[in-house]
Amino acid sequence: MKNADYWAGRMERLNENLMQKADALLPDIQKAYETAAENIQQQIEAFYQRYAGQEGISLAEAKRLLSPKERQRFGMTIEGYIKAAEQGTADPKWIRQMERTAARARVSRLEALRLQMHQQIELLEGWKDMAMTRTLGEIFQECFYQTGYEIQRGLGVGAAFATLDTEQISRVLAKPWSPDGKNFSARIWGDDRGKLLHTLETTVTTGIITGESPQRTIDKVRKAMGSSRAAAGRLVLTEGAAFAAMGRKECYERLGVKQFAFLATLDAKTCGVCADMDGQVFDLEDYAVGVTAPPLHPFDRCTTVPHFDDEFSAGDMRAARDGDGKTYYVPAGMSYQEWKKTFIRNKSKDDVIAGAVLRLARDYNSEFGKKFGKEHYDQIRDRVDNCKVPALQKLWDKYEGQIKVADPHHKGGAFCQGDSIYIGIDSDAKARKYFAPYSTVFHECGHAIDGLVAQLGSANGQWHFSSTYKNALFPKTIKQEVEEWVSGILADMKAHKADLQYWVKRGWISPEYAAYCEMQIGFKVTKKMAYDAVKREIQSLGHLQMGDISDILEGATCGGIMCGVGHGGSSYWTKRTFNGIEWGLGTEAFAEMTSAIMACPESLAVIQKYLPKSYALYEEMLEFLVNQL
């Protein structure tokens, strides 16, 4: 039997690793608050620039009604807010408030400013709710599995048990653990939002009444945002400790652990309450988060350990009630991943698979769920959940709910129009000559996301994000990289003009065409030959391999390189150029790379090999967008 020190060392390290998941969310929270604060500052500055005179602005002036022209412009802004709120995680009460405001003819200047600030807070709190739901769910799930691993490895025997299903995780996330009966989501939407909104509105109104400078008001707003951010960080760390504690309890129950001991993190920061609790043993039926189990206070990093009396032996470890009823030997050197593969049993194909990233319960009443149906939606989400590019996965999770499925059984070519996609889902689900299953869904959704995030890449939000990021750097990079590729082949061709067998060996031309060229008088090396050489090389790779890069090459050369899969000629691309910016190339390449990542690793490998600079820029754009969320 392992002694108490063994369990203390194992569980303390496990708890610290889990708390790092909560710590990792703090920089993202800081960025989200900075973005919201910056936007609110711009709104306040615009308000004073528009309405303040040399003497500032009085409360009476601030309460003056918007002019008809201003009211019309503001109405368009409200419509945009309503649309964004309906597609996101906004409070229904906020949506109704905006709808009522939109219907009114009389809106004051100050009320308009308040609504703009309110919208920023709604976006911020919605993001916090989404981010904390994911992080806390991951902590609960990982603590459950890791605790089972440590206990079974320590005892030397293991018992198979079923995965945590998504409904169970969702129930745990929704259940309050603190005495006030509020869960973390209620604290975000109730306490945090209400307090912050009241502070912001009071600060701005008081600043107008007292005649303080706009900068003074902005400084106070930023201070209030900083206090709220600190509270959000405290909430993340405290709730993280609570859900880790709940994950441990669930595992104790599954494995038949009868007692547990409180383990304080003993250092200079340990409080008196936790120090007094250290080492105390309780029956599992008395396990209560915040009472006998951590956290007992904010930022509490204490934990619990299983307690076995002297009469307990490894053979007393029961097989989990939802496993196969048997116990097995667990070597001390077995790794965590080996343990999960051996002992975690899936209850059904709809459950979380062992070792996968946390998948929250799927909403089959969502736009994708209803329009595509459960079977297709599961296939789509499986690919998203197993996406190897975290930034794209985060971006998809953010914007999936904002993409409309205008026609899931569209006949003819699929396309995207604004935020709406037209897809023949049944045919797209099947493997085709040049395309992997569901590649078209991801391609058209790539277009939709590219358009939805356009405002994050430029001041005016024109075209698509892929064409506005850093002054159209993406399409420019693609063209340059393809041109360098073609120019390199062309130079090599000219250097070996007298040796056409060299061309044949490189795969640029066929032996038959080499024989034909040798008979020509005044044989000239042209750029078209280099284009054809690229075409031959790509076509030799295989159908799935060339499916996505083919269209990119066609766009980069305005139809000069046509490998057989694309939009078909120069006219398509010339019509999609504006002020010298080839936005058609940018958005098609963005969609092709998105599709390749999600649906076809063979195609992705080709893009990474032949267009490494362009692909690196694509990933840079994804990271930029994720940092703006």
Side-chain angles (χ1 to χ4, degrees), residues 489 492-493 502-504 506-510 529 532-533 536:
I489 292 177
D492 204 4
M493 282 181 162
Y502 176 87
W503 292 25
V504 174
R506 298 298 298 270
W508 296 337
I509 59 175
S510 67
M529 291 177 179
D532 290 340
R536 283 176 59 86

Side-chain angles (χ1 to χ4, degrees), residues 159-162 254 319-326 343 345:
F161 50 86
R254 294 273 190 112
R321 61 178 178 268
D322 49 9
D324 56 14
K326 301 178 182 179
F343 294 111
R345 303 285 188 258

Side-chain angles (χ1 to χ4, degrees), residues 74-87 98 119:
F74 182 63
M76 295 173 63
T77 301
I78 294 179
E79 290 177 3
Y81 287 173
I82 293 173
K83 183 178 180 181
E86 288 175 340
Q87 295 173 341
M98 285 194 294
Q119 173 69 1

Side-chain angles (χ1 to χ4, degrees), residues 52-82:
Q54 292 183 349
E55 303 299 325
I57 182 171
S58 66
L59 183 61
E61 282 292 319
K63 287 186 174 181
R64 285 187 61 182
L65 298 179
L66 296 176
S67 67
K69 187 175 181 180
E70 290 173 329
R71 181 64 186 84
Q72 182 181 15
R73 185 166 55 245
F74 182 63
M76 295 173 63
T77 301
I78 294 179
E79 290 177 3
Y81 287 173
I82 293 173

Side-chain angles (χ1 to χ4, degrees), residues 376-426:
H376 290 309
Y377 186 42
D378 275 343
Q379 290 290 332
I380 293 169
R381 282 304 314 184
D382 283 346
R383 287 161 172 78
V384 174
D385 293 336
N386 290 294
C387 176
K388 304 302 183 184
V389 181
L392 179 57
Q393 185 182 58
K394 292 179 181 178
L395 199 63
W396 182 280
D397 287 340
K398 168 67 177 179
Y399 287 100
E400 179 189 294
Q402 299 183 37
I403 301 172
K404 295 183 177 64
V405 183
D407 185 356
H409 303 291
H410 179 68
K411 304 297 182 183
F415 66 98
C416 173
Q417 189 173 50
D419 57 2
S420 300
I421 60 174
Y422 297 75
I423 299 285
I425 190 64
D426 293 325

Side-chain angles (χ1 to χ4, degrees), residues 40 44 200 203-204 217-226:
I40 291 174
I44 294 173
L200 294 183
T203 298
V204 171
T217 299
I218 289 170
D219 290 342
K220 290 181 178 180
V221 166
R222 282 194 169 272
K223 183 178 180 180
M225 295 289 285

